[in-house]
Amino acid sequence: MTVTLDLSRRNNALPGKKRLTGLSVPALKKEMEALGLEPKAANMRARQIRRWIHHFGATDFAAMTDIAKDLRAQLAERFEVERPETADHQVSRDGTQKWLTRYAPGIEGESVYIPDVGKAGALCVSSQVGCTLNCTFCHTGTQALVRNLTAQEIVQQVIIARDALSEWPSSIEERRLTNIVFMGMGEPLYNLDNVAEAIDTISDGDGISIGRRRITVSTAGVAPKIPELGARTGAMLAISLHATNDDLRNELVPLNRKYDIQTLFEAIRAYPDLGNSKRVTFEYVMLKGVNDTLAEARDLVKLMKGVPSKINLIPFNPWPGSPYECSDWETIEAFAEVLNRAGFASPIRTPRGRDILAACGQLRSESVKVRASELRKQQLAAEDSKGQT
Ligand code: SAH
């Protein structure tokens, strides 16, 4: 079965039409019930539609040939299966691709496809527009939070990447997009309900079909939510550690003031099913003269003891106005050597997509939070100027 995709389409939803693209099966079922279908029929239709959208990548109800024509017509009147608008799409010299997706006016989020990561390639998705955490080395932290992304919007990021890579249906061999990492903008554990629902949809074997073990959720350390993440999603866990003592971590990752390193590690140890085949990934950004001494490498070994884990050393990616420099290459290698000798895999992550500001911590959309009071002021000003003409 082939489905022709018209990639030139834009966000051309007709007013009043609800978009089904990226919705979970329970959400689709609700929409079918609202159409007047009995629960059983609604469930069946929801599953059929899910297969068309998320397995075949359909963008049109006309393709859904196992649904009666009159029902298809009825569906097309109320709903559409388009993608949100791609406000920007850049391809790096190294094959990395970055999308800026416009969900609504002023609400934009980024996703990055990185070849040769995971089994074949990984999509780094955002869970929020902006971020509230203010980690000092991260560009996204300089952007005010606009809002959480919905489960549907998170899944749409995967669909947009699949479109660009021409990877429909899900059953094609040699997929290039095999892994999902929640390492884009935002703190996934501050938006766990939507992240969990999105993971259900992404891992659905009759839909997008990217297995839970190929999905990694990264957190700056929202300790109380860590075991819950594992129980609800079965995903792999990554922790943005970056420092081995509370004084420095308080500075780099201010969330540490709320959940210190000890509290964080207690939560990590409670992550379900940890073992050789399910290891935690620790991320450690290498900041010159800040966190890169060999003594810190040894402290890291002590912290990780007894936790099935590996560590990703991330060379710091600079961004306009960033207050840090990346550690020297020899320093990073010596740091990695200490970890390797202690028996921990510690790959140094090659920076990807730096030329298009798509590397870790460089994501930042132009979305800004407009305060309600500011909005009111603008409205009053607009009303005023109308009154004067
Ligand atoms: N809020 C979650 C998800 C974001 S993941 C978390 O903190 O884990 C983004 C990853 O990139 C994190 O490990 C983050 O610490 C790292 N990062 C942020 N800015 C960076 C930069 N400038 N250079 C390299 N890595 C960076």
Side-chain angles (χ1 to χ4, degrees), residues 118-163:
K119 185 165 177 253
L123 185 71
C124 177
V125 295
S126 295
S127 55
Q128 300 181 310
V129 172
C131 192
T132 52
L133 292 178
N134 298 317
C135 300
T136 48
F137 52 87
C138 180
H139 201 197
T140 311
T142 64
Q143 179 183 336
L145 172 71
V146 178
R147 69 163 166 82
N148 281 338
L149 289 175
T150 63
Q152 177 179 28
E153 289 164 340
I154 294 170
V155 176
Q156 286 171 344
Q157 297 174 53
V158 183
I159 292 172
I160 286 171
R162 273 263 179 99
D163 285 349

mmCIF file of all heavy atoms in Angstrom, residues 118-163:
data_model
loop_
_atom_site.group_PDB
_atom_site.id
_atom_site.type_symbol
_atom_site.label_atom_id
_atom_site.label_comp_id
_atom_site.label_asym_id
_atom_site.label_seq_id
_atom_site.Cartn_x
_atom_site.Cartn_y
_atom_site.Cartn_z
ATOM 1 N N GLY A 118 21.477 6.066 18.378
ATOM 2 C CA GLY A 118 20.553 4.962 18.641
ATOM 3 C C GLY A 118 20.763 3.888 17.594
ATOM 4 O O GLY A 118 21.878 3.705 17.090
ATOM 5 N N LYS A 119 19.673 3.183 17.210
ATOM 6 C CA LYS A 119 19.838 2.089 16.234
ATOM 7 C C LYS A 119 20.233 2.658 14.866
ATOM 8 O O LYS A 119 21.156 2.173 14.226
ATOM 9 C CB LYS A 119 18.533 1.300 16.143
ATOM 10 C CG LYS A 119 18.638 0.092 15.255
ATOM 11 C CD LYS A 119 17.466 -0.847 15.463
ATOM 12 C CE LYS A 119 17.554 -2.014 14.504
ATOM 13 N NZ LYS A 119 16.559 -1.931 13.426
ATOM 14 N N ALA A 120 19.507 3.680 14.412
ATOM 15 C CA ALA A 120 19.873 4.290 13.123
ATOM 16 C C ALA A 120 19.898 5.812 13.227
ATOM 17 O O ALA A 120 20.788 6.473 12.722
ATOM 18 C CB ALA A 120 18.909 3.848 12.033
ATOM 19 N N GLY A 121 18.909 6.374 13.898
ATOM 20 C CA GLY A 121 18.852 7.824 14.017
ATOM 21 C C GLY A 121 17.804 8.190 15.055
ATOM 22 O O GLY A 121 16.842 7.455 15.254
ATOM 23 N N ALA A 122 18.007 9.325 15.727
ATOM 24 C CA ALA A 122 17.101 9.702 16.813
ATOM 25 C C ALA A 122 16.456 11.042 16.523
ATOM 26 O O ALA A 122 17.060 11.924 15.908
ATOM 27 C CB ALA A 122 17.869 9.781 18.131
ATOM 28 N N LEU A 123 15.216 11.172 16.958
ATOM 29 C CA LEU A 123 14.563 12.471 16.916
ATOM 30 C C LEU A 123 14.506 13.003 18.346
ATOM 31 O O LEU A 123 14.025 12.336 19.256
ATOM 32 C CB LEU A 123 13.137 12.369 16.358
ATOM 33 C CG LEU A 123 12.457 13.733 16.182
ATOM 34 C CD1 LEU A 123 13.085 14.505 15.017
ATOM 35 C CD2 LEU A 123 10.953 13.584 15.960
ATOM 36 N N CYS A 124 15.024 14.210 18.501
ATOM 37 C CA CYS A 124 15.018 14.868 19.796
ATOM 38 C C CYS A 124 13.775 15.753 19.832
ATOM 39 O O CYS A 124 13.651 16.674 19.015
ATOM 40 C CB CYS A 124 16.302 15.699 19.880
ATOM 41 S SG CYS A 124 16.459 16.650 21.369
ATOM 42 N N VAL A 125 12.839 15.448 20.724
ATOM 43 C CA VAL A 125 11.579 16.189 20.727
ATOM 44 C C VAL A 125 11.483 17.124 21.931
ATOM 45 O O VAL A 125 12.109 16.897 22.962
ATOM 46 C CB VAL A 125 10.341 15.245 20.706
ATOM 47 C CG1 VAL A 125 10.267 14.460 19.406
ATOM 48 C CG2 VAL A 125 10.320 14.311 21.912
ATOM 49 N N SER A 126 10.681 18.155 21.785
ATOM 50 C CA SER A 126 10.435 19.103 22.868
ATOM 51 C C SER A 126 9.157 18.717 23.598
ATOM 52 O O SER A 126 8.222 18.202 22.990
ATOM 53 C CB SER A 126 10.278 20.517 22.305
ATOM 54 O OG SER A 126 11.489 20.953 21.729
ATOM 55 N N SER A 127 9.135 18.964 24.902
ATOM 56 C CA SER A 127 7.937 18.667 25.689
ATOM 57 C C SER A 127 7.232 19.946 26.139
ATOM 58 O O SER A 127 6.087 19.922 26.561
ATOM 59 C CB SER A 127 8.301 17.822 26.904
ATOM 60 O OG SER A 127 9.305 18.460 27.668
ATOM 61 N N GLN A 128 7.944 21.057 26.073
ATOM 62 C CA GLN A 128 7.354 22.345 26.418
ATOM 63 C C GLN A 128 7.864 23.383 25.414
ATOM 64 O O GLN A 128 8.911 23.186 24.805
ATOM 65 C CB GLN A 128 7.800 22.791 27.823
ATOM 66 C CG GLN A 128 7.405 21.834 28.940
ATOM 67 C CD GLN A 128 7.850 22.324 30.311
ATOM 68 O OE1 GLN A 128 9.000 22.685 30.507
ATOM 69 N NE2 GLN A 128 6.931 22.324 31.265
ATOM 70 N N VAL A 129 7.144 24.465 25.279
ATOM 71 C CA VAL A 129 7.668 25.620 24.542
ATOM 72 C C VAL A 129 8.376 26.463 25.589
ATOM 73 O O VAL A 129 7.743 26.943 26.525
ATOM 74 C CB VAL A 129 6.533 26.421 23.874
ATOM 75 C CG1 VAL A 129 7.058 27.718 23.295
ATOM 76 C CG2 VAL A 129 5.876 25.583 22.788
ATOM 77 N N GLY A 130 9.709 26.563 25.482
ATOM 78 C CA GLY A 130 10.472 27.248 26.514
ATOM 79 C C GLY A 130 10.719 26.321 27.689
ATOM 80 O O GLY A 130 10.505 25.109 27.598
ATOM 81 N N CYS A 131 11.205 26.870 28.800
ATOM 82 C CA CYS A 131 11.535 26.046 29.964
ATOM 83 C C CYS A 131 11.597 26.933 31.201
ATOM 84 O O CYS A 131 11.988 28.093 31.115
ATOM 85 C CB CYS A 131 12.897 25.379 29.741
ATOM 86 S SG CYS A 131 13.259 24.085 30.936
ATOM 87 N N THR A 132 11.234 26.368 32.349
ATOM 88 C CA THR A 132 11.233 27.168 33.586
ATOM 89 C C THR A 132 12.493 26.943 34.416
ATOM 90 O O THR A 132 12.646 27.558 35.462
ATOM 91 C CB THR A 132 10.037 26.771 34.479
ATOM 92 O OG1 THR A 132 10.061 25.351 34.655
ATOM 93 C CG2 THR A 132 8.729 27.197 33.874
ATOM 94 N N LEU A 133 13.391 26.065 33.970
ATOM 95 C CA LEU A 133 14.462 25.611 34.872
ATOM 96 C C LEU A 133 15.654 26.553 34.987
ATOM 97 O O LEU A 133 16.368 26.534 35.977
ATOM 98 C CB LEU A 133 14.949 24.227 34.443
ATOM 99 C CG LEU A 133 13.923 23.105 34.635
ATOM 100 C CD1 LEU A 133 14.489 21.792 34.128
ATOM 101 C CD2 LEU A 133 13.548 22.979 36.105
ATOM 102 N N ASN A 134 15.942 27.331 33.957
ATOM 103 C CA ASN A 134 17.056 28.290 33.988
ATOM 104 C C ASN A 134 18.416 27.696 34.286
ATOM 105 O O ASN A 134 19.201 28.285 35.049
ATOM 106 C CB ASN A 134 16.766 29.405 35.011
ATOM 107 C CG ASN A 134 15.535 30.183 34.630
ATOM 108 O OD1 ASN A 134 15.341 30.513 33.463
ATOM 109 N ND2 ASN A 134 14.676 30.453 35.601
ATOM 110 N N CYS A 135 18.741 26.538 33.730
ATOM 111 C CA CYS A 135 20.098 26.006 33.854
ATOM 112 C C CYS A 135 21.021 27.015 33.172
ATOM 113 O O CYS A 135 20.734 27.484 32.066
ATOM 114 C CB CYS A 135 20.202 24.631 33.191
ATOM 115 S SG CYS A 135 19.075 23.440 33.948
ATOM 116 N N THR A 136 22.126 27.353 33.826
ATOM 117 C CA THR A 136 22.897 28.518 33.380
ATOM 118 C C THR A 136 23.613 28.317 32.039
ATOM 119 O O THR A 136 23.978 29.280 31.386
ATOM 120 C CB THR A 136 23.966 28.878 34.437
ATOM 121 O OG1 THR A 136 24.645 27.674 34.798
ATOM 122 C CG2 THR A 136 23.328 29.509 35.656
ATOM 123 N N PHE A 137 23.819 27.045 31.651
ATOM 124 C CA PHE A 137 24.582 26.750 30.428
ATOM 125 C C PHE A 137 23.664 26.463 29.244
ATOM 126 O O PHE A 137 24.132 26.156 28.155
ATOM 127 C CB PHE A 137 25.487 25.526 30.666
ATOM 128 C CG PHE A 137 24.702 24.367 31.215
ATOM 129 C CD1 PHE A 137 24.078 23.485 30.363
ATOM 130 C CD2 PHE A 137 24.525 24.236 32.583
ATOM 131 C CE1 PHE A 137 23.302 22.456 30.868
ATOM 132 C CE2 PHE A 137 23.749 23.200 33.096
ATOM 133 C CZ PHE A 137 23.135 22.312 32.230
ATOM 134 N N CYS A 138 22.340 26.526 29.462
ATOM 135 C CA CYS A 138 21.386 26.098 28.426
ATOM 136 C C CYS A 138 20.653 27.296 27.822
ATOM 137 O O CYS A 138 20.112 28.133 28.546
ATOM 138 C CB CYS A 138 20.381 25.118 29.031
ATOM 139 S SG CYS A 138 19.154 24.541 27.841
ATOM 140 N N HIS A 139 20.646 27.335 26.503
ATOM 141 C CA HIS A 139 20.027 28.455 25.799
ATOM 142 C C HIS A 139 18.519 28.487 26.008
ATOM 143 O O HIS A 139 17.920 29.549 26.139
ATOM 144 C CB HIS A 139 20.345 28.331 24.297
ATOM 145 C CG HIS A 139 20.218 29.616 23.544
ATOM 146 N ND1 HIS A 139 20.123 29.654 22.179
ATOM 147 C CD2 HIS A 139 20.178 30.894 23.964
ATOM 148 C CE1 HIS A 139 20.037 30.914 21.783
ATOM 149 N NE2 HIS A 139 20.069 31.687 22.847
ATOM 150 N N THR A 140 17.898 27.286 26.030
ATOM 151 C CA THR A 140 16.439 27.251 26.170
ATOM 152 C C THR A 140 16.021 27.926 27.479
ATOM 153 O O THR A 140 14.951 28.530 27.566
ATOM 154 C CB THR A 140 15.914 25.799 26.134
ATOM 155 O OG1 THR A 140 16.486 25.124 25.019
ATOM 156 C CG2 THR A 140 14.411 25.759 26.007
ATOM 157 N N GLY A 141 16.903 27.816 28.494
ATOM 158 C CA GLY A 141 16.588 28.407 29.797
ATOM 159 C C GLY A 141 16.484 29.918 29.768
ATOM 160 O O GLY A 141 15.950 30.530 30.704
ATOM 161 N N THR A 142 16.981 30.544 28.702
ATOM 162 C CA THR A 142 16.900 32.001 28.633
ATOM 163 C C THR A 142 15.557 32.444 28.045
ATOM 164 O O THR A 142 15.291 33.621 27.887
ATOM 165 C CB THR A 142 18.030 32.593 27.761
ATOM 166 O OG1 THR A 142 17.853 32.130 26.407
ATOM 167 C CG2 THR A 142 19.394 32.171 28.262
ATOM 168 N N GLN A 143 14.731 31.470 27.724
ATOM 169 C CA GLN A 143 13.443 31.791 27.107
ATOM 170 C C GLN A 143 12.339 31.576 28.127
ATOM 171 O O GLN A 143 12.322 30.569 28.820
ATOM 172 C CB GLN A 143 13.251 30.832 25.933
ATOM 173 C CG GLN A 143 11.959 30.999 25.191
ATOM 174 C CD GLN A 143 11.844 29.941 24.102
ATOM 175 O OE1 GLN A 143 12.826 29.407 23.622
ATOM 176 N NE2 GLN A 143 10.625 29.631 23.734
ATOM 177 N N ALA A 144 11.438 32.512 28.229
ATOM 178 C CA ALA A 144 10.342 32.346 29.191
ATOM 179 C C ALA A 144 9.465 31.185 28.740
ATOM 180 O O ALA A 144 9.282 30.971 27.555
ATOM 181 C CB ALA A 144 9.516 33.619 29.250
ATOM 182 N N LEU A 145 8.942 30.445 29.693
ATOM 183 C CA LEU A 145 8.048 29.346 29.318
ATOM 184 C C LEU A 145 6.788 29.918 28.715
ATOM 185 O O LEU A 145 6.222 30.877 29.212
ATOM 186 C CB LEU A 145 7.666 28.505 30.538
ATOM 187 C CG LEU A 145 6.577 27.461 30.251
ATOM 188 C CD1 LEU A 145 7.112 26.334 29.394
ATOM 189 C CD2 LEU A 145 5.982 26.912 31.517
ATOM 190 N N VAL A 146 6.397 29.373 27.611
ATOM 191 C CA VAL A 146 5.108 29.764 27.067
ATOM 192 C C VAL A 146 4.058 28.773 27.546
ATOM 193 O O VAL A 146 3.128 29.145 28.228
ATOM 194 C CB VAL A 146 5.166 29.872 25.541
ATOM 195 C CG1 VAL A 146 3.811 30.219 24.979
ATOM 196 C CG2 VAL A 146 6.182 30.930 25.151
ATOM 197 N N ARG A 147 4.277 27.484 27.227
ATOM 198 C CA ARG A 147 3.341 26.508 27.784
ATOM 199 C C ARG A 147 3.800 25.071 27.567
ATOM 200 O O ARG A 147 4.728 24.819 26.801
ATOM 201 C CB ARG A 147 1.942 26.712 27.198
ATOM 202 C CG ARG A 147 1.813 26.362 25.718
ATOM 203 C CD ARG A 147 0.313 26.200 25.398
ATOM 204 N NE ARG A 147 -0.007 26.193 23.984
ATOM 205 C CZ ARG A 147 0.090 25.124 23.197
ATOM 206 N NH1 ARG A 147 0.573 23.989 23.653
ATOM 207 N NH2 ARG A 147 -0.283 25.208 21.925
ATOM 208 N N ASN A 148 3.111 24.143 28.251
ATOM 209 C CA ASN A 148 3.324 22.721 27.991
ATOM 210 C C ASN A 148 2.840 22.401 26.589
ATOM 211 O O ASN A 148 1.842 22.971 26.137
ATOM 212 C CB ASN A 148 2.466 21.875 28.943
ATOM 213 C CG ASN A 148 3.077 21.769 30.324
ATOM 214 O OD1 ASN A 148 4.274 21.960 30.500
ATOM 215 N ND2 ASN A 148 2.245 21.453 31.299
ATOM 216 N N LEU A 149 3.491 21.448 25.934
ATOM 217 C CA LEU A 149 2.927 20.930 24.689
ATOM 218 C C LEU A 149 1.938 19.831 25.052
ATOM 219 O O LEU A 149 2.113 19.118 26.041
ATOM 220 C CB LEU A 149 4.037 20.375 23.796
ATOM 221 C CG LEU A 149 4.962 21.429 23.184
ATOM 222 C CD1 LEU A 149 6.102 20.780 22.409
ATOM 223 C CD2 LEU A 149 4.183 22.366 22.264
ATOM 224 N N THR A 150 0.893 19.680 24.251
ATOM 225 C CA THR A 150 -0.060 18.592 24.471
ATOM 226 C C THR A 150 0.555 17.292 23.942
ATOM 227 O O THR A 150 1.525 17.317 23.173
ATOM 228 C CB THR A 150 -1.378 18.842 23.709
ATOM 229 O OG1 THR A 150 -1.080 18.852 22.292
ATOM 230 C CG2 THR A 150 -2.007 20.174 24.101
ATOM 231 N N ALA A 151 -0.044 16.158 24.338
ATOM 232 C CA ALA A 151 0.430 14.866 23.830
ATOM 233 C C ALA A 151 0.380 14.876 22.307
ATOM 234 O O ALA A 151 1.309 14.432 21.624
ATOM 235 C CB ALA A 151 -0.433 13.742 24.393
ATOM 236 N N GLN A 152 -0.701 15.400 21.772
ATOM 237 C CA GLN A 152 -0.872 15.451 20.319
ATOM 238 C C GLN A 152 0.263 16.246 19.656
ATOM 239 O O GLN A 152 0.828 15.821 18.647
ATOM 240 C CB GLN A 152 -2.225 16.089 19.991
ATOM 241 C CG GLN A 152 -2.476 16.246 18.504
ATOM 242 C CD GLN A 152 -3.836 16.850 18.186
ATOM 243 O OE1 GLN A 152 -4.380 17.614 18.983
ATOM 244 N NE2 GLN A 152 -4.390 16.502 17.042
ATOM 245 N N GLU A 153 0.609 17.376 20.242
ATOM 246 C CA GLU A 153 1.664 18.218 19.648
ATOM 247 C C GLU A 153 3.029 17.533 19.711
ATOM 248 O O GLU A 153 3.864 17.695 18.812
ATOM 249 C CB GLU A 153 1.702 19.571 20.361
ATOM 250 C CG GLU A 153 0.497 20.441 20.019
ATOM 251 C CD GLU A 153 0.303 21.611 20.980
ATOM 252 O OE1 GLU A 153 0.821 21.583 22.112
ATOM 253 O OE2 GLU A 153 -0.404 22.564 20.599
ATOM 254 N N ILE A 154 3.256 16.763 20.779
ATOM 255 C CA ILE A 154 4.531 16.035 20.882
ATOM 256 C C ILE A 154 4.600 14.981 19.770
ATOM 257 O O ILE A 154 5.601 14.866 19.068
ATOM 258 C CB ILE A 154 4.677 15.394 22.282
ATOM 259 C CG1 ILE A 154 4.789 16.488 23.355
ATOM 260 C CG2 ILE A 154 5.895 14.465 22.327
ATOM 261 C CD1 ILE A 154 4.701 15.991 24.793
ATOM 262 N N VAL A 155 3.495 14.244 19.595
ATOM 263 C CA VAL A 155 3.478 13.195 18.562
ATOM 264 C C VAL A 155 3.618 13.821 17.168
ATOM 265 O O VAL A 155 4.276 13.268 16.282
ATOM 266 C CB VAL A 155 2.189 12.351 18.670
ATOM 267 C CG1 VAL A 155 2.116 11.332 17.534
ATOM 268 C CG2 VAL A 155 2.116 11.653 20.021
ATOM 269 N N GLN A 156 3.026 14.981 16.972
ATOM 270 C CA GLN A 156 3.111 15.640 15.656
ATOM 271 C C GLN A 156 4.563 15.911 15.253
ATOM 272 O O GLN A 156 4.907 15.898 14.069
ATOM 273 C CB GLN A 156 2.305 16.941 15.669
ATOM 274 C CG GLN A 156 0.797 16.676 15.630
ATOM 275 C CD GLN A 156 -0.031 17.936 15.850
ATOM 276 O OE1 GLN A 156 0.478 18.959 16.311
ATOM 277 N NE2 GLN A 156 -1.319 17.858 15.544
ATOM 278 N N GLN A 157 5.444 16.127 16.231
ATOM 279 C CA GLN A 157 6.861 16.339 15.904
ATOM 280 C C GLN A 157 7.436 15.094 15.219
ATOM 281 O O GLN A 157 8.240 15.180 14.290
ATOM 282 C CB GLN A 157 7.671 16.642 17.167
ATOM 283 C CG GLN A 157 7.250 17.927 17.859
ATOM 284 C CD GLN A 157 7.975 18.125 19.186
ATOM 285 O OE1 GLN A 157 9.189 18.072 19.249
ATOM 286 N NE2 GLN A 157 7.230 18.352 20.257
ATOM 287 N N VAL A 158 7.013 13.918 15.711
ATOM 288 C CA VAL A 158 7.506 12.669 15.123
ATOM 289 C C VAL A 158 6.940 12.509 13.709
ATOM 290 O O VAL A 158 7.643 12.115 12.773
ATOM 291 C CB VAL A 158 7.113 11.463 16.005
ATOM 292 C CG1 VAL A 158 7.700 10.178 15.436
ATOM 293 C CG2 VAL A 158 7.564 11.675 17.451
ATOM 294 N N ILE A 159 5.671 12.849 13.564
ATOM 295 C CA ILE A 159 5.016 12.708 12.252
ATOM 296 C C ILE A 159 5.670 13.624 11.217
ATOM 297 O O ILE A 159 5.918 13.221 10.076
ATOM 298 C CB ILE A 159 3.505 12.996 12.408
ATOM 299 C CG1 ILE A 159 2.879 11.865 13.251
ATOM 300 C CG2 ILE A 159 2.817 13.132 11.054
ATOM 301 C CD1 ILE A 159 1.441 12.098 13.643
ATOM 302 N N ILE A 160 5.999 14.831 11.622
ATOM 303 C CA ILE A 160 6.634 15.782 10.699
ATOM 304 C C ILE A 160 8.010 15.251 10.252
ATOM 305 O O ILE A 160 8.370 15.324 9.071
ATOM 306 C CB ILE A 160 6.754 17.172 11.372
ATOM 307 C CG1 ILE A 160 5.368 17.822 11.427
ATOM 308 C CG2 ILE A 160 7.746 18.067 10.647
ATOM 309 C CD1 ILE A 160 5.300 19.093 12.257
ATOM 310 N N ALA A 161 8.759 14.673 11.186
ATOM 311 C CA ALA A 161 10.074 14.121 10.821
ATOM 312 C C ALA A 161 9.907 12.920 9.891
ATOM 313 O O ALA A 161 10.636 12.766 8.907
ATOM 314 C CB ALA A 161 10.841 13.724 12.081
ATOM 315 N N ARG A 162 8.930 12.078 10.188
ATOM 316 C CA ARG A 162 8.655 10.915 9.331
ATOM 317 C C ARG A 162 8.302 11.363 7.907
ATOM 318 O O ARG A 162 8.721 10.741 6.936
ATOM 319 C CB ARG A 162 7.453 10.139 9.879
ATOM 320 C CG ARG A 162 7.780 9.111 10.916
ATOM 321 C CD ARG A 162 7.879 7.758 10.210
ATOM 322 N NE ARG A 162 8.218 6.715 11.125
ATOM 323 C CZ ARG A 162 7.328 5.873 11.662
ATOM 324 N NH1 ARG A 162 6.052 5.945 11.358
ATOM 325 N NH2 ARG A 162 7.737 4.950 12.483
ATOM 326 N N ASP A 163 7.506 12.413 7.796
ATOM 327 C CA ASP A 163 7.155 12.951 6.474
ATOM 328 C C ASP A 163 8.430 13.321 5.719
ATOM 329 O O ASP A 163 8.627 12.938 4.568
ATOM 330 C CB ASP A 163 6.302 14.230 6.600
ATOM 331 C CG ASP A 163 4.854 13.964 6.999
ATOM 332 O OD1 ASP A 163 4.427 12.787 6.981
ATOM 333 O OD2 ASP A 163 4.151 14.945 7.332
#
